[in-house]
Amino acid sequence: MLDTPEAVFEALRENHDRPHGLQRTVTAEELVEAAEPFEKPDTLVTALLELMTAYEFTGEHRKSPVVFARLLKLWDTAPESFSEWEAHQVFWRFKWVTTSLLQVPEMPLATVRGWIDQMRDRYAEAGHGLQPVAAMRYHVAAHTGVDVADAYDLWATRTRTDLSDCEACETRHLAWHQVTAGDDAGALDSWAPVLGGAQSCSEEPQVSQAQALLPLLRLGRADEARSHHLSGYRRVRGNTGTQESVGLHLEFCALSRNEGRGLEILAENRPLFEATGAPLAHLEFLTGVEVLLARLVGDGHGDAPVAGPPGRNWTADGLLAHVRAEADRLAAAFDARNATTAVGDRRRERLARRPLLDEPLPLGLRASVGRAPVVAPAAPAVDGPEVPEDFVELVREARRMARAGHPGDARLWTRIGDRLADGSAAHDDRLGPEDLLRAELAAQRAYVLTRTGRDAEAIAELERAAVLYEGIGMPWQALSTRSRALAWAAAPDVTEGAALPDADAVRSGLDELLREAERLTTGAPLTGGALGEGEAVAGDDVALDRRLAYLAVLYSRTFAAYQAVVRTFPEVPDGALERFEECAGTMRAEAERLSLPHHVANVRQFVAEVAGRRGDTAGAEAELRAALVDNEAAERPWRSGRPRALLAQFLLAREEPAEAAELLHRSIADAVRYDDADFPMAPTYSLLGHAAAHLGDTAGAVRHLSEAAARFDQDGAADEATEVRLQLADVLGRSGQQADAVAVLESVLADGAAATIGERPLAQARLNLARGLRELEEHLAAAEEFLRLADTVAAWEDGGPVLTLVAAEAATTLALAGRWDAADTAYERALAAHAEAPHPHLITHMMREFARLTMVARGAEGLDAALEHLTRADEVLGAVPEDAEGFSSWYESGEVHYRRARVLAEADRFPEALAEAEAAIAAHERGGDAGEVPRAEAVRIAALIEGNGLGRTREAAARLTAAAARCRKADLPEAAEVLDALRQDYRSRAGS
């Protein structure tokens, strides 16, 4: 019942603790009604302030001025009803009213300026400085575009007062002024205290993070932009009071070529389409939506389903038309009110922007939206092939590059196939038999099919090519093609359903092909001789073509033997290993005899991989370094990317990340340079991320792991992408970027996307997420994750120890969230788990935290409950065997005494508190060197109790003098400085 002022005040306190949203706002409205009948208006004053706060932070700016008008009337008629804080709020909230009125296009500018004039008069009458008034005049000028420079100077040059906006908000306004003036670099310098965490408030840094995204991108500071998007968006999503910031994040996604992420954000913020209480902020949101949708429609995705206002299904072009009409109407209304074009001009400027990057900025997030992100065409490779317009020259260039083993030939063959298919080219007799080109294209299709996992179809294409080669008198090419088909069929990842020969059949088939090659040297020797129909036109060096085909047969034998070894690791049969060594030896000898060093390099790579798997990393490294020399001798630098990446793996395993990183950078650069579409970019970026992390280059690690995750997504390798994201989150968390880590983990765990990675890794990810949320002080969300994880591990047969850990952390986190009933339940669950799977360190830590939080929540009234928790902690410690491995009884005992000392001191029971502090000192004394830091803290608390609680400052100072000297002797200068500062304070008080 809300029939007394006390009941309403209590309800107001409860409502104030709720997060901003509809429930808090509706309750605040109800509490104003409940407060109106009371004789004294002090309850109504508090209720009106709470309602105004609810409107301000949920974007209900149309309603806020009405509430303030009632407050101002009460201030004029019953000022004694306002507390000191509430009186300050009357003057503070004049600023809220000004910005709220500016948000509403129906409100004349004369009315807005009239409020500012009243603000000035009341500030002057009360003796307050006028800098906040100048700030409001600047906001009006910036909005209308009239006299902006003068208004800025009048505001920025005035001294701040206690009614000025907080430093963080003023920093944002100053920086945004520089952005609008075109000075991105200066703006980011100004923003540094906010973006770096030195200045903050309820609105910051998240609002500044959104505003800084495009300036950061424009200056090439993409890593910072990524981080501010990850951490900043989490704090504004779904919030009707920050819809302008959501619009900026949508715009960032469009201009960083992350349209898929933008659609995900749109889906998470559908209610914002109906949040019209702050029309100017709503216009900014709609403009961000329009930037995103215009990119999608412009790229031909107008029919793509998108999330729009609730109540109907939307496509991109349908929603674009709807949003554009509404935003145009709002912009016109503001410009009409202002008698300027400033609002419309800013909107048109945003809509005219184009993407700031050539390719998507990897964000490290899993995009849950079905449509793949739009990707800009990649820049041409530095040494990639030119694509001749003349069809004959196009085919000849493709053949030349194929003979050289240049990976860029793939693009040319694709172009050849496209031109034949669309009728823009036809076969030319100058290219030789038409079946030759058909065979070449069939072989190329086979390679493309293997990249998409369609191995059975690829093998069929190779067989087709072999038949065509035979028909035009090219037996060597037919042999090499058949050998590849047989070797591919033996690979372990061939599409299910293909007719796979058994290992013996593959082995005997490849041996027979080798014997046929040896027989073939009689009629078509490797050095030349009579030419087949196709050979006469296929290339200038028939002898080289035959040698390459012969080596391709040997390569296929070696590849199949290598696969047989790999499949049986770690228990490799002697026969399989001998077969591999024989095939590799034969291929190496023949490649050396025929002066084909790049094929020697191929053998070395196989040998290196097998050696590495068998633990011979030194031998593997030697082979790979020699392979790089061979490729250099063959003048085929494009073949060195893979051996470099493999060598980097071995170097990373040997903890030599610097050279590994250099090798990986070169591999990636060469893949781009030589247009190698088959190069494994995603795994290589993943390795580079690990190398960067080992080198302490967190920014590089985040960048490369994010790139790896995005590329695994593009390759359809969802499990690999998830694993990389978990590694990315770990790097972010360990580097202190907890908000970024949480954003990545939420993306991984959303909608059960990570279920395929395994139950244990998934549980670890959820534990990391829960701890990250707790560190961000999102305690309720953290507790929900802990509880979900506890339910999971409770079903594990060996989950007892983990359940103890998770239940204990859940209990503490629920207490931090103020959910004491649920916390007590989790507490008892943790104790039950501890009885089955003891973990005394975790349990006593939980009990100490409950003691601390009980005092925080209840003050001295919670003393008995807090002491009971500590008594139970003593009981847990008493049950631990003295020889328990990995358990420091001195530390745990000392921490319980320390916490009891603080609890007793908070209840003003200082003699008992001092005794407990001294017991803590004695316990940590037993820890030797490891106990010096906690001992110093226990001494500090003892001195505070002795000096402040018992008034014995001289004794406290003496205690601190001895402890500080001990800290210096133990090489703990920071601890000594803390103790010295407290000692100096006591000596000053004692007058000595």
Side-chain angles (χ1 to χ4, degrees):
M1 294 292 291
L2 300 174
D3 52 359
T4 66
E6 291 76 17
V8 174
F9 274 122
E10 180 59 31
L12 284 167
R13 277 192 291 269
E14 290 180 4
N15 198 46
H16 186 74
D17 290 337
R18 290 191 176 102
H20 289 292
L22 182 60
Q23 181 184 359
R24 178 170 173 174
T25 301
V26 170
T27 302
E29 291 172 337
E30 293 171 349
L31 292 175
V32 167
E33 292 181 13
E36 287 177 335
F38 301 136
E39 182 179 352
K40 292 184 178 181
D42 53 343
T43 309
L44 180 58
V45 167
T46 305
L48 287 169
L49 285 168
E50 171 61 26
L51 178 57
M52 193 175 179
T53 299
Y55 285 155
E56 177 73 15
F57 289 97
T58 54
E60 291 290 351
H61 290 277
R62 293 180 184 274
K63 301 177 180 179
S64 187
V66 178
V67 179
F68 187 71
R70 294 183 65 184
L71 270 170
L72 205 56
K73 185 175 181 180
L74 287 170
W75 172 254
D76 289 336
T77 58
E80 71 281 358
S81 299
F82 289 73
S83 68
E84 183 179 350
W85 180 85
E86 290 169 338
H88 183 271
Q89 287 298 301
V90 170
F91 292 96
W92 182 271
R93 297 191 185 196
F94 262 104
K95 299 180 295 181
W96 290 13
V97 172
T98 301
T99 53
S100 292
L101 294 173
L102 209 58
Q103 281 274 346
V104 183
E106 304 94 86
M107 190 62 60
L109 276 184
T111 302
V112 180
R113 293 186 171 116
W115 270 100
I116 298 176
D117 290 341
Q118 185 180 169
M119 176 184 175
R120 178 200 60 206
D121 295 343
R122 287 183 179 264
Y123 271 44
E125 183 181 352
H128 295 304
L130 298 183
Q131 191 261 13
V133 177
M136 293 303 102
R137 296 197 191 284
Y138 166 73
H139 291 321
V140 173
H143 171 69
T144 61
V146 176
D147 297 329
V148 179
D150 290 344
Y152 175 80
D153 288 340
L154 288 172
W155 162 51
T157 57
R158 287 179 182 263
T159 304
R160 285 174 47 79
T161 75
D162 62 345
L163 287 168
S164 298
D165 282 346
C166 76
E167 283 189 293
C169 287
E170 285 218 335
T171 295
R172 177 181 79 241
H173 296 316
L174 291 166
W176 190 245
H177 177 81
Q178 291 172 286
V179 170
T180 58
D183 184 9
D184 287 341
L188 290 169
D189 287 343
S190 298
W191 252 318
V194 174
L195 298 180
Q199 296 176 0
S200 64
C201 68
S202 61
E203 296 182 16
E204 292 298 340
Q206 61 267 29
V207 176
S208 288
Q209 286 177 311
Q211 291 183 345
L213 291 171
L214 294 188
L216 286 166
L217 274 190
R218 285 193 290 260
L219 292 178
R221 293 161 63 172
D223 291 343
E224 294 168 77
R226 176 197 299 111
S227 177
H228 289 309
H229 171 66
L230 292 179
S231 57
Y233 171 68
R234 291 190 68 256
R235 300 186 64 178
V236 301
R237 64 184 173 194
N239 186 341
T240 55
T242 56
Q243 57 178 317
E244 181 177 355
S245 296
V246 175
L248 291 171
H249 282 281
L250 287 167
E251 183 177 9
F252 164 78
C253 289
L255 301 186
S256 66
R257 297 190 183 274
N258 278 285
E259 291 88 343
R261 168 68 169 164
L263 291 180
E264 183 176 274
I265 291 175
L266 207 57
E268 290 178 335
N269 291 276
R270 292 188 76 179
L272 298 190
F273 285 102
E274 298 177 323
T276 58
L280 184 58
H282 193 56
L283 171 62
E284 301 298 331
F285 165 69
L286 292 177
T287 302
V289 174
E290 188 174 348
V291 172
L292 173 68
L293 295 174
R295 285 278 308 137
L296 292 171
V297 173
D299 285 337
H301 300 285
D303 293 334
V306 298
R312 59 166 282 191
N313 295 325
W314 296 89
T315 61
D317 51 9
L319 183 58
L320 176 60
H322 172 82
V323 166
R324 180 171 287 159
E326 177 63 12
D328 282 345
R329 183 189 67 77
L330 282 172
F334 278 110
D335 282 345
R337 190 271 302 269
N338 300 337
T340 69
T341 61
V343 173
D345 289 344
R346 284 193 291 271
R347 170 171 153 72
R348 285 183 284 275
E349 179 187 353
R350 289 179 69 183
L351 294 175
R353 290 172 182 157
R354 293 294 175 262
L356 297 168
L357 303 174
D358 291 331
E359 295 186 0
L361 172 66
L363 300 176
L365 301 175
R366 181 188 67 89
S368 62
V369 177
R371 194 186 70 79
V374 179
V375 180
V382 176
D383 284 358
E386 294 295 328
V387 182
E389 285 298 318
D390 180 78
F391 187 70
V392 172
E393 290 305 314
L394 176 63
V395 174
R396 286 174 175 169
E397 179 63 10
R399 287 171 176 170
R400 184 190 68 77
M401 297 190 77
R403 184 180 300 106
H406 195 298
D409 73 321
R411 193 148 58 97
L412 301 187
W413 287 118
T414 299
R415 179 62 178 154
I416 292 167
D418 290 344
R419 290 191 62 180
L420 289 172
D422 66 19
S424 63
H427 182 263
D428 190 299
D429 289 342
R430 288 174 293 173
L431 297 173
E434 188 171 356
D435 280 352
L436 171 59
L437 187 55
R438 288 175 179 168
E440 292 166 326
L441 289 171
Q444 180 60 26
R445 284 195 298 273
Y447 284 116
V448 173
L449 288 165
T450 58
R451 291 204 300 271
T452 57
R454 296 159 65 183
D455 301 280
E457 295 174 69
I459 292 168
E461 289 288 348
L462 287 176
E463 294 289 358
R464 184 176 298 112
V467 171
L468 289 168
Y469 279 130
E470 283 181 338
I472 55 174
M474 299 183 72
W476 280 110
Q477 282 68 23
L479 265 184
S480 68
T481 304
R482 283 208 169 88
S483 70
R484 286 198 298 273
L486 197 51
W488 286 6
D493 56 350
V494 172
T495 304
E496 185 177 353
L500 303 180
D502 60 30
D504 290 339
V506 169
R507 189 163 49 246
S508 60
L510 287 168
D511 286 347
E512 176 56 33
L513 289 175
L514 178 58
R515 285 191 289 272
E516 187 175 341
E518 291 167 349
R519 289 192 295 270
L520 192 58
T521 57
T522 302
L526 297 176
T527 54
L531 301 181
E533 180 186 2
E535 287 181 313
V537 294
D540 298 329
D541 192 339
V542 174
L544 174 60
D545 287 346
R546 291 178 177 179
R547 292 200 299 274
L548 291 173
Y550 172 54
L551 263 294
V553 174
L554 296 175
Y555 179 92
S556 297
R557 288 179 77 243
T558 308
F559 175 78
Y562 162 78
Q563 291 289 350
V565 170
V566 168
R567 281 198 301 272
T568 56
F569 262 109
E571 302 295 331
V572 183
D574 290 340
L577 194 58
E578 290 172 2
R579 166 76 176 181
F580 169 73
E581 290 172 347
E582 183 273 321
C583 290
T586 300
M587 182 180 173
R588 175 180 294 188
E590 289 296 274
E592 289 173 345
R593 180 177 71 84
L594 297 172
S595 300
L596 295 172
H598 65 283
H599 271 298
V600 177
N602 288 338
V603 180
R604 291 188 189 280
Q605 190 171 333
F606 281 131
V607 171
E609 292 194 53
V610 171
R613 287 173 180 266
R614 299 181 69 194
D616 181 11
T617 55
E621 180 180 338
E623 289 288 353
L624 290 168
R625 292 190 187 279
L628 295 175
V629 174
D630 289 334
N631 283 326
E632 185 177 349
E635 297 182 349
R636 298 191 177 197
W638 49 83
R639 302 187 69 93
S640 292
R642 288 165 179 78
R644 276 200 196 99
L646 185 56
L647 176 57
Q649 279 186 270
F650 292 123
L651 291 171
L652 277 175
R654 255 182 30 205
E655 298 186 359
E656 295 184 22
E659 186 182 0
E662 180 184 351
L663 290 167
L664 292 166
H665 275 297
R666 289 186 64 188
S667 293
I668 292 170
D670 280 354
V672 173
R673 179 180 185 182
Y674 298 116
D675 200 21
D676 189 352
D678 291 336
F679 185 78
M681 283 288 201
T684 305
Y685 270 111
S686 178
L687 283 173
L688 187 53
H690 288 300
H694 284 298
L695 289 168
D697 178 12
T698 300
V702 170
R703 183 165 57 252
H704 302 317
L705 290 173
S706 299
E707 182 73 39
R711 288 180 178 272
F712 276 127
D713 283 340
Q714 293 168 14
D715 294 342
D719 290 353
E720 290 83 351
T722 295
E723 290 175 4
V724 168
R725 288 191 171 97
L726 293 178
Q727 295 159 11
L728 171 60
D730 184 59
V731 169
L732 289 166
R734 285 189 286 107
S735 67
Q737 300 176 66
Q738 201 59 252
D740 294 20
V742 164
V744 173
L745 288 169
E746 286 178 333
S747 151
V748 168
L749 295 170
D751 304 322
T756 59
I757 66 171
E759 194 173 44
R760 302 302 169 109
L762 185 59
Q764 183 63 56
R766 198 168 294 285
L767 178 61
N768 292 344
L769 174 58
R771 288 172 169 171
L773 288 166
R774 184 177 61 198
E775 188 170 327
L776 296 176
E777 299 185 357
E778 298 179 31
H779 296 129
L780 190 56
E784 290 172 354
E785 292 295 337
F786 278 124
L787 292 173
R788 189 178 293 114
L789 180 56
D791 291 341
T792 298
V793 300
W796 296 355
E797 290 185 6
D798 59 346
V802 182
L803 180 58
T804 305
L805 179 150
V806 174
E809 296 207 38
T812 302
T813 308
L814 284 163
L816 285 165
R819 303 299 178 91
W820 284 97
D821 289 343
D824 290 340
T825 300
Y827 185 100
E828 295 303 326
R829 185 180 191 181
L831 291 180
H834 171 70
E836 297 293 327
H839 204 320
H841 166 71
L842 287 171
I843 293 300
T844 55
H845 180 270
M846 175 188 74
M847 291 169 168
R848 296 197 307 270
E849 279 294 279
F850 264 67
R852 179 181 72 83
L853 294 169
T854 297
M855 295 301 291
V856 170
R858 299 172 56 191
E861 293 181 3
L863 177 62
D864 290 342
L867 291 175
E868 174 61 23
H869 288 303
L870 296 172
T871 298
R872 297 180 79 171
D874 284 333
E875 293 170 357
V876 171
L877 294 178
V880 179
E882 292 185 7
D883 58 349
E885 185 178 352
F887 186 77
S888 301
S889 60
W890 62 268
Y891 175 80
E892 300 298 336
S893 175
E895 290 301 289
V896 173
H897 284 300
Y898 172 84
R899 181 51 56 195
R900 189 178 285 113
R902 298 200 63 162
V903 164
L904 289 165
E906 289 170 39
D908 295 340
R909 289 168 57 171
F910 299 117
E912 297 165 85
L914 182 58
E916 286 296 324
E918 289 176 336
I921 295 169
H924 290 311
E925 187 90 38
R926 298 199 305 270
D929 291 343
E932 288 297 330
V933 171
R935 182 188 183 281
E937 170 59 14
V939 169
R940 187 184 71 86
I941 289 298
L944 286 170
I945 294 168
E946 193 167 29
N948 295 350
L950 298 174
R952 303 197 313 239
T953 56
R954 291 183 183 275
E955 291 85 344
R959 182 192 298 273
L960 291 164
T961 299
R966 177 171 179 147
C967 285
R968 281 189 286 272
K969 186 176 180 180
D971 195 23
L972 298 171
E974 292 181 4
E977 287 177 13
V978 171
L979 299 175
D980 280 335
L982 183 56
R983 179 196 62 187
Q984 188 59 43
D985 179 52
Y986 283 146
R987 285 191 168 178
S988 298
R989 281 196 253 168
S992 61

